[in-house]
Amino acid sequence: MEADKQEFLNEFGDSYGYPDGPRGIDEIRAAEFKRLDGNGGLVYLDHAGATLYSELQMERVFKDLAANVYGNPHSQSDSSSATTDAVREARQQVLDYFNASPKDYKCIFTSGATAALKLVGEAFPWSGSSSYMYTMENHNSVLGIREYALSRGAAAFAVDVECPEPLDFGSTSPSSSFEFSLHPVQRRNEIRHMDGGSGDDVFNLFSFPSECNFSGMRFNLDLVKLIKEDSQRILRGSPYGKGRWMVLIDAAKGCSTEPPDLSKCPADFVAISFYKLFGYPTGLGALIVRNDAAKLLKPTYFSGGTVAASFADLDFVKRRENIEELFEDGTTSFLSIASIQHGFKILKSLTVTGIRRHTASLTVYTKKMLLALRHVNGAIVCTVYGNHASKVPCRALGPTVSFNLKRQDGSWVGYREVEKLATLSGIQLRTGCFCNPGACAKYLELSHLDLLSNLEAGHVCWDDHDLINGKPTGAVRISFGYMSTYEDAKKFIDFIKGSFVSTQISIGNGHLLTTRAFSFSSEGCQKRFPSAVYQLKSITVYPIKSCAGFSAEFWPLSSTGLRHDREWLIRSITGEVLTQKKVPEMCLISTFLDLKQGKMIVESPRCRDKLQITLDTDSSLVPTEDIELHAQRCTVHHYDNDVNQWFTIAIGRPCMLLRSSGSNNTKTSGVCREVNARTNFPNEAQFLLISEESISDLNTRLSSGALKAAHGSPVQVTPTRFRPNLVVSGGKPYAEDGWTSLQIGNAHFTSIGGCNRCQMINLGHQSGQVQRTKEPLATLASYRRVKGKILFGILLRYESGDDEENVKHDDSWLQVGQEVLPNSS
């Protein structure tokens, strides 16, 4: 056993790996999660998003479904009765898991935790005297209940809840130890009767998560009794505290390691999601509701299964009295419900206590290792959120670590950079705000002004704007599940160390700087070497965005770059611009332009006939529309159904071909770097240039890396993998990085910087099949990373004077073999 693991076991061996369970963690992983090893040693660390199903669990599910016949439960047949029995047993298993007596609680199945929360919001007895109070750390699905409250005249406000010291598991806190800080009250309806609604007819709702899905901090469940019994003290005489308080717990995140014990904390509503408990089934959740609270909920809609009788032509409906039947609209997902018993068997065999201790050992170890990381200059590498030494939300940590990284100069590392490199290393994690805007703003110290500024800068959920004005807009999150191992945590820590911890003092070295700040020999420097004679080796035109291009010995220039380059694109019928990132098969579509005949010829292995498109068309006869792409407003032309049908067959999904009108130079907002140049549909610039020497150096590194890792045959790449327009040769590797401008023949170009590479360069194809690997991006990331970008090749702007007439003469052509004259900084 390696020394690092032995040291880990010396500290956590009593908790790690289920020492008192029927099987150890190594046996569980080897027998029930073989697919992780089968995917190249995948490290899955997003259990807060969705945990993994066990292969043994799925075998039992399939065996059950294959052996039994389950019919629609809204009938009296034998198969329906079998379903009714399975659903009844499943309800009891859910209640048992939360130690909830059927005398006090009922289990209502929903399509997920969000649907359970929505049910409460829709059916809650809001009035103009009601209040909705919720903690800042809450999922958007909980915040969304606010809309129902406000629309019905109720007040809504957020609170921060803290207590002086974290409490041990199972302990009870005196109410005086809690501290509540109220945020401004929100109201939409100014008509509110403060003096007449203080009795039992006023109902208020308080919502909090059992565990924050952003930081992993657990809330003390004593909050339930505190709110229900002592709300006036908490709200300090506020008029918004009158009436009866009910409590909702969002347990979707926390119940996998610490389900609320409803015999001790009498919450009125608890929302859960089963795929976060044991991976399968998805699309199924539950609302556990106290019987007396359920009687107060007033559903509006009725459906099959929720009514005892209704008249089609009269305003009459008699609803069912059974709580579950009253709220389960339509036919429940009964096969999924029948399947949860097999997930609970897994959890029961390991015990919740065993799972909590196992995942806690990995969480504490990982957090400890992250906090100890230092750059060579002593600077802190990692900021962990929810790790305050004093005031915290009152309980221990869940199996979640949320953090951001810093460089040795104190600047932040963007979370998308971490996610991109983690994916290349076979590590699956989560980034962003995790649908928890309150916790995100709180821990990242983002003010309302910061959030509005970020929104105006174009930042929305799930985008790539990870740093704005030098500050993070979200975080990196890893989370452990019952099947996670020490090896998972160790590989993650090694990844952080190897990718983000500087081992040498950062020294400027041209453009070749990496986050790890390795120094480079002069062979990697970007200077213009007097003895170098550069030559244009190839010209490639890509008529259709993200499809294969063709090489030409000579080609005319235009004010948008190479004539007809990326002048067409393929769009889905829903309006999404399609690229190889989402449709890798697009690389199998080949194109060729015959300027003499004025045609574009397109071929696909999926289409029997070639497609020919005329280049010169009467634009006045072609339908047009305006679209936005890469921060540009573009006018595009449409094609007829025959053309669109050909491309639909070629890529295997409904789509249409669009052509640029040639006037796409209207800047809106966003990421495009080419503000001052006319373009068709490129991502960033008119031209991409790379050198043969840089390709050769990359291939040498790929070969060396493959040998060191004993991977067998190394990946070797050609220039076409990077989709360059121009390939040059004659100098040192990466000399082009230092070029500020260049001349080819009579044409002048300006460099606008390096090209940031993405996983699209990892797509290769052989024998008509698309293959996705980790190379060459993983190797490039090891030595070509600059401030979150993996650079390879340079982007160019053609200095045409934006006068189309100037580029229609014979000297406005590029030709293979021409001398390339660069200028360096």
Side-chain angles (χ1 to χ4, degrees):
M1 181 182 297
E2 64 179 42
D4 288 346
K5 185 170 185 179
Q6 187 60 59
E7 183 179 350
F8 168 82
L9 292 176
N10 290 341
E11 184 174 358
F12 301 103
D14 291 342
S15 299
Y16 174 76
Y18 311 103
D20 301 323
R23 295 162 298 154
I25 185 61
D26 292 337
E27 182 182 350
I28 291 172
R29 279 291 287 262
E32 300 181 34
F33 296 90
K34 296 185 288 289
R35 64 189 185 278
L36 295 178
D37 291 332
N39 280 282
L42 184 70
V43 175
Y44 185 84
L45 296 176
D46 188 24
H47 297 274
T51 198
L52 300 177
Y53 52 80
S54 157
E55 288 152 27
L56 174 62
Q57 171 191 350
M58 299 309 296
E59 288 174 6
R60 290 171 175 170
V61 170
F62 295 145
K63 184 177 180 179
D64 181 8
L65 297 180
N68 295 287
V69 178
Y70 294 111
N72 190 311
H74 298 161
S75 181
Q76 303 298 319
S77 66
D78 289 344
S79 60
S80 298
S81 297
T83 300
T84 301
D85 291 341
V87 171
R88 183 185 305 111
E89 292 174 8
R91 293 192 206 278
Q92 187 59 51
Q93 284 183 308
V94 174
L95 294 178
D96 290 345
Y97 187 72
F98 291 90
N99 200 18
S101 168
K103 295 179 181 179
D104 300 319
Y105 286 93
K106 293 294 185 290
C107 171
I108 301 170
F109 286 114
T110 64
S111 63
T114 295
L117 296 166
K118 184 180 179 183
L119 189 159
V120 175
E122 287 180 334
F124 193 81
W126 304 108
S127 71
S129 298
S130 297
S131 294
Y132 178 47
M133 180 170 66
Y134 52 91
T135 56
M136 281 291 289
E137 297 95 334
N138 256 313
H139 196 279
N140 271 325
S141 296
V142 176
L143 301 185
I145 295 175
R146 181 178 65 196
E147 296 300 301
Y148 291 109
L150 293 175
S151 67
R152 298 181 193 177
F157 52 93
V159 293
D160 287 307
V161 183
E162 296 177 333
C163 66
E165 297 292 340
L167 301 176
D168 295 329
F169 174 73
S171 61
T172 302
S173 302
S175 62
S176 60
S177 67
F178 290 88
E179 296 180 11
F180 283 73
S181 301
L182 276 63
H183 288 253
V185 174
Q186 309 155 60
R187 289 173 56 192
R188 289 184 186 161
N189 187 349
E190 294 298 326
I191 301 174
R192 183 179 174 89
H193 304 286
M194 294 292 186
D195 51 357
S198 59
D200 292 338
D201 60 335
V202 175
F203 297 96
N204 310 297
L205 181 65
F206 172 59
S207 299
F208 72 98
S210 61
E211 181 184 318
C212 173
N213 76 319
F214 186 97
S215 66
M217 298 302 299
R218 290 193 178 115
F219 281 77
N220 193 315
L221 299 182
D222 291 337
L223 280 170
V224 175
K225 288 185 178 179
L226 181 63
I227 294 295
K228 293 170 76 72
E229 298 173 3
D230 201 12
S231 60
Q232 286 296 312
R233 186 195 66 79
I234 292 170
L235 297 175
R236 301 183 184 93
S238 166
Y240 300 101
K242 296 179 180 180
R244 176 180 171 186
W245 279 92
M246 310 184 80
V247 179
L248 163 64
I249 299 177
D250 175 10
K253 169 64 179 71
C255 67
S256 62
T257 55
E258 191 174 334
D261 185 341
L262 295 181
S263 69
K264 296 178 180 178
C265 62
D268 298 284
F269 312 101
V270 179
I272 65 171
S273 185
F274 293 104
Y275 74 90
K276 297 200 177 192
L277 273 171
F278 31 71
Y280 179 88
T282 58
L284 183 68
L287 177 68
I288 303 168
V289 56
R290 282 187 67 86
N291 294 339
D292 56 349
K295 295 175 182 178
L296 299 174
L297 299 180
K298 303 298 180 183
T300 301
Y301 176 78
F302 69 86
S303 66
T306 65
V307 295
S310 66
F311 292 174
D313 56 347
L314 293 177
D315 182 12
F316 174 84
V317 58
K318 180 176 177 54
R319 300 178 186 269
R320 292 188 179 273
E321 297 182 359
N322 180 282
I323 292 174
E324 298 97 332
E325 293 178 339
L326 179 62
F327 289 100
E328 290 176 350
D329 291 321
T331 302
T332 58
S333 184
F334 55 87
L335 294 182
S336 293
I337 294 172
S339 298
I340 67 174
Q341 62 172 309
H342 306 294
F344 277 120
K345 286 180 181 177
I346 299 289
L347 301 188
K348 187 175 181 179
S349 68
L350 298 175
T351 74
V352 171
T353 300
I355 293 171
R356 180 170 60 247
R357 296 181 64 188
H358 171 75
T359 54
S361 68
L362 294 171
T363 305
V364 173
Y365 165 76
T366 303
K367 185 170 292 190
K368 176 182 175 181
M369 297 297 290
L370 287 174
L371 291 172
L373 294 177
R374 295 292 184 273
H375 292 292
V376 68
N377 64 353
I380 293 174
V381 174
C382 186
T383 296
V384 176
Y385 301 111
N387 195 54
H388 306 297
S390 58
K391 294 182 178 181
V392 294
C394 309
R395 186 158 259 185
L397 293 168
T400 297
V401 183
S402 182
F403 63 93
N404 272 310
L405 301 175
K406 283 189 172 183
R407 308 184 198 278
Q408 61 175 317
D409 63 1
S411 63
W412 292 101
V413 176
Y415 57 76
R416 284 289 291 123
E417 176 182 355
V418 181
E419 184 175 31
K420 180 193 291 186
L421 296 181
T423 300
L424 292 173
S425 298
I427 299 172
Q428 308 297 304
L429 45 74
R430 183 86 173 267
T431 62
C433 278
F434 326 121
C435 298
N436 195 326
C440 187
K442 179 177 180 177
Y443 288 113
L444 271 58
E445 299 180 350
L446 297 173
S447 66
H448 290 160
L449 186 61
D450 291 329
L451 297 173
L452 288 173
S453 177
N454 292 347
L455 186 62
E456 290 174 358
H459 172 55
V460 295
C461 296
W462 305 343
D463 68 11
D464 290 336
H465 293 284
D466 52 6
L467 295 174
I468 296 180
N469 297 324
K471 295 178 64 175
T473 60
V476 182
R477 186 186 73 186
I478 63 168
S479 47
F480 297 101
Y482 75 80
M483 73 299 296
S484 298
T485 64
Y486 163 80
E487 286 72 21
D488 292 336
K490 181 65 163 56
K491 184 173 180 180
F492 170 74
I493 293 297
D494 289 344
F495 156 71
I496 295 295
K497 288 180 178 179
S499 300
F500 298 101
V501 179
S502 297
T503 56
Q504 297 184 20
I505 298 296
S506 182
I507 301 174
N509 193 11
H511 288 71
L512 279 182
L513 292 176
T514 69
T515 303
R516 298 184 65 188
F518 290 131
S519 58
F520 290 85
S521 66
S522 61
E523 184 169 310
C525 294
Q526 294 74 36
K527 299 178 181 178
R528 181 175 178 185
F529 296 87
S531 60
V533 177
Y534 295 96
Q535 190 178 58
L536 183 60
K537 298 293 292 186
S538 70
I539 303 168
T540 306
V541 184
Y542 304 90
I544 304 177
K545 181 178 178 65
S546 227
C547 294
F550 67 95
S551 296
E553 286 296 310
F554 48 88
W555 199 257
L557 294 168
S558 73
S559 60
T560 59
L562 292 173
R563 184 168 296 175
H564 301 306
D565 185 56
R566 287 163 291 190
E567 193 169 308
W568 290 262
L569 62 76
I570 301 173
R571 189 179 71 177
S572 71
I573 58 174
T574 60
E576 179 185 16
V577 174
L578 302 180
T579 69
Q580 287 187 35
K581 291 180 182 179
K582 294 189 176 181
V583 189
E585 293 78 12
M586 290 178 68
C587 69
L588 302 178
I589 298 176
S590 62
T591 56
F592 177 75
L593 294 174
D594 188 328
L595 296 181
K596 291 184 178 180
Q597 294 190 24
K599 292 182 179 180
M600 177 171 66
I601 297 92
V602 191
E603 295 184 76
S604 167
R606 295 180 174 179
C607 299
R608 181 181 59 184
D609 299 322
K610 297 180 182 179
L611 178 67
Q612 296 191 24
I613 296 175
T614 302
L615 299 182
D616 295 327
T617 57
D618 187 348
S619 60
S620 64
L621 302 178
V622 181
T624 64
E625 71 168 302
D626 288 337
I627 65 172
E628 188 172 315
L629 176 69
H630 301 306
Q632 289 187 334
R633 181 69 62 183
C634 308
T635 300
V636 296
H637 299 304
H638 287 251
Y639 284 88
D640 60 30
N641 290 334
D642 290 340
V643 171
N644 294 334
Q645 182 61 28
W646 190 96
F647 281 98
T648 294
I649 296 172
I651 68 170
R653 65 176 68 186
C655 64
M656 59 182 65
L657 184 70
L658 302 177
R659 183 180 184 180
S660 169
S661 69
S663 59
N664 302 327
N665 59 350
T666 304
K667 177 72 174 176
T668 55
S669 63
V671 298
C672 184
R673 280 197 258 174
E674 271 293 59
V675 180
N676 300 317
R678 295 179 61 188
T679 59
N680 288 319
F681 299 129
N683 285 356
E684 292 188 279
Q686 294 174 334
F687 293 87
L688 169 63
L689 178 147
I690 62 175
S691 73
E692 288 185 338
E693 289 74 19
S694 299
I695 290 288
S696 178
D697 178 78
L698 171 59
N699 280 324
T700 298
R701 294 172 187 267
L702 288 168
S703 298
S704 175
L707 291 174
K708 289 179 181 179
H711 286 161
S713 301
V715 174
Q716 295 288 280
V717 296
T718 63
T720 57
R721 180 69 73 94
F722 299 91
R723 298 177 62 82
N725 297 109
L726 309 175
V727 178
V728 301
S729 69
K732 298 289 185 178
Y734 314 108
E736 62 272 17
D737 289 347
W739 297 352
T740 58
S741 62
L742 62 134
Q743 180 179 345
I744 306 176
N746 293 325
H748 295 265
F749 303 85
T750 297
S751 172
I752 60 173
C755 180
N756 185 22
R757 312 312 311 211
C758 66
Q759 294 195 24
M760 187 166 157
I761 65 174
N762 289 343
L763 296 175
H765 58 91
Q766 291 181 345
S767 303
Q769 297 296 318
V770 180
Q771 298 176 334
R772 190 188 299 269
T773 67
K774 296 178 181 179
E775 297 291 2
L777 191 60
T779 293
L780 285 173
S782 69
Y783 75 106
R784 294 286 300 173
R785 187 152 50 95
V786 182
K787 292 287 187 179
K789 297 180 179 180
I790 303 171
L791 302 179
F792 192 79
I794 61 172
L795 301 171
L796 302 176
R797 177 177 67 242
Y798 174 47
E799 301 298 344
S800 65
D802 205 29
D803 184 352
E804 191 68 28
E805 291 300 320
N806 291 337
V807 293
K808 288 184 178 180
H809 306 295
D810 291 341
D811 60 354
S812 296
W813 289 62
L814 294 182
Q815 184 168 349
V816 171
Q818 286 178 308
E819 185 176 3
V820 178
L821 301 173
N823 294 304
S824 301
S825 55

